[in-house]
Amino acid sequence: MAELASAAAGVQRYQGVLGVRGEGRRGRFSGRLVVVFDQGDQTISRRSPARLRLEAYGPVGGARWILVARRSPSEDPGSGSGEAVRVVSAANRVYAEGTTLARFTEELLGIPLAMDDIAAVVVGTGVPIPEGPVRPDPNGMAMVLPGGARIWWGLDDGGRPGVARARKGEYEVRYPNPARSGAGTVPRLVEVTAETIEARLAVEELQVNAALHPDSFAVRISSGYRRLTAAEFGASVLTFRR
């Protein structure tokens, strides 16, 4: 488990384009999701992004929405507080702002995910790996992490071990090819399920630990944009809808 956590912490910066297909509360969807995060100057024990950017694209056309989030250095990973979140839809000329990322991801992605949840899903641990002892799940082959999240191990085609499946409260993640080792080696295929959504994410483009553009975590509001709540914003954009 320590090796897994260390490998995940080694992904200091991530920039990927993920092809997304699935079905959710708004019906079937397809499109692309850009995921960018940066752990900043945190210690390895934090293992959580300090800054995040998400962009949602339909099968054709420009961005449906762009979201950026920053966490205060004083806040614990996954606490859901002390965040500065802004999401903008240029096509609809609307925006929303808040302090809890999960409130926005629930509306836009169908699952309430914090910054460390998103990083864990794309890096390959499935769920954040907190410090503390783990124990075996008496009802299966899972390991139970502090806080109750669970990880199941699996083998890839070469017999190498890795996370095959992970579950945390609101969501479950599966990795068809589970083995990963070392910084920069992350999964190319991810399956995510929750009560309201089922999605398959295939990495189409990826840069790990490369330099990010200075404006990666900024999105501007033009004159005349109308401010909405997170729920109103989610209702105003048909995320990935065909």
Side-chain angles (χ1 to χ4, degrees), residues 81-95:
S81 60
E83 297 164 341
V85 184
R86 171 182 285 179
V87 59
V88 176
S89 172
N92 292 5
R93 299 184 64 80
V94 295
Y95 74 100

Side-chain angles (χ1 to χ4, degrees), residues 94-126:
V94 295
Y95 74 100
E97 295 178 331
T99 58
T100 305
L101 176 62
R103 182 71 183 88
F104 290 85
T105 55
E106 182 175 21
E107 293 293 338
L108 299 172
L109 302 178
I111 312 176
L113 299 174
M115 294 173 73
D116 55 342
D117 296 327
I118 294 171
V121 167
V122 298
V123 165
T125 64

Side-chain angles (χ1 to χ4, degrees), residues 143-165:
M143 298 300 296
V144 183
L145 309 181
R150 284 166 166 75
I151 284 178
W152 286 261
W153 300 104
L155 302 176
D156 71 353
D157 295 338
R160 296 169 298 180
V163 176
R165 175 184 166 204

Side-chain angles (χ1 to χ4, degrees), residues 51-65:
R51 302 180 294 175
L52 173 78
R53 181 185 183 98
L54 302 175
E55 297 182 37
Y57 292 80
V60 295
R64 299 288 181 86
W65 49 262

Side-chain angles (χ1 to χ4, degrees), residues 21-195:
R21 289 185 178 275
E23 187 168 355
R25 61 189 176 188
R26 292 172 178 162
R28 293 181 180 178
F29 55 81
S30 65
R32 287 178 171 82
L33 182 67
V34 176
V35 180
V36 185
F37 69 76
D38 179 11
Q39 295 200 54
D41 297 326
Q42 304 173 87
T43 63
I44 288 180
S45 63
R46 299 278 310 228
R47 291 191 293 271
S48 179
R51 302 180 294 175
L52 173 78
R53 181 185 183 98
L54 302 175
E55 297 182 37
Y57 292 80
V60 295
R64 299 288 181 86
W65 49 262
I66 300 174
L67 178 150
V68 293
R70 296 172 181 264
R71 193 188 65 243
S72 167
S74 63
E75 296 297 331
D76 293 329
S79 67
S81 60
E83 297 164 341
V85 184
R86 171 182 285 179
V87 59
V88 176
S89 172
N92 292 5
R93 299 184 64 80
V94 295
Y95 74 100
E97 295 178 331
T99 58
T100 305
L101 176 62
R103 182 71 183 88
F104 290 85
T105 55
E106 182 175 21
E107 293 293 338
L108 299 172
L109 302 178
I111 312 176
L113 299 174
M115 294 173 73
D116 55 342
D117 296 327
I118 294 171
V121 167
V122 298
V123 165
T125 64
V127 296
I129 310 296
E131 295 182 328
V134 300
R135 57 182 175 83
D137 183 348
N139 298 317
M141 300 299 292
M143 298 300 296
V144 183
L145 309 181
R150 284 166 166 75
I151 284 178
W152 286 261
W153 300 104
L155 302 176
D156 71 353
D157 295 338
R160 296 169 298 180
V163 176
R165 175 184 166 204
R167 181 189 299 158
K168 178 187 173 186
E170 304 88 350
Y171 68 92
E172 180 169 310
V173 182
R174 294 177 183 267
Y175 300 102
N177 189 6
R180 283 166 295 283
S181 61
T185 307
V186 298
R188 296 303 179 117
L189 187 61
V190 183
E191 297 172 347
V192 183
T193 59
E195 183 177 351

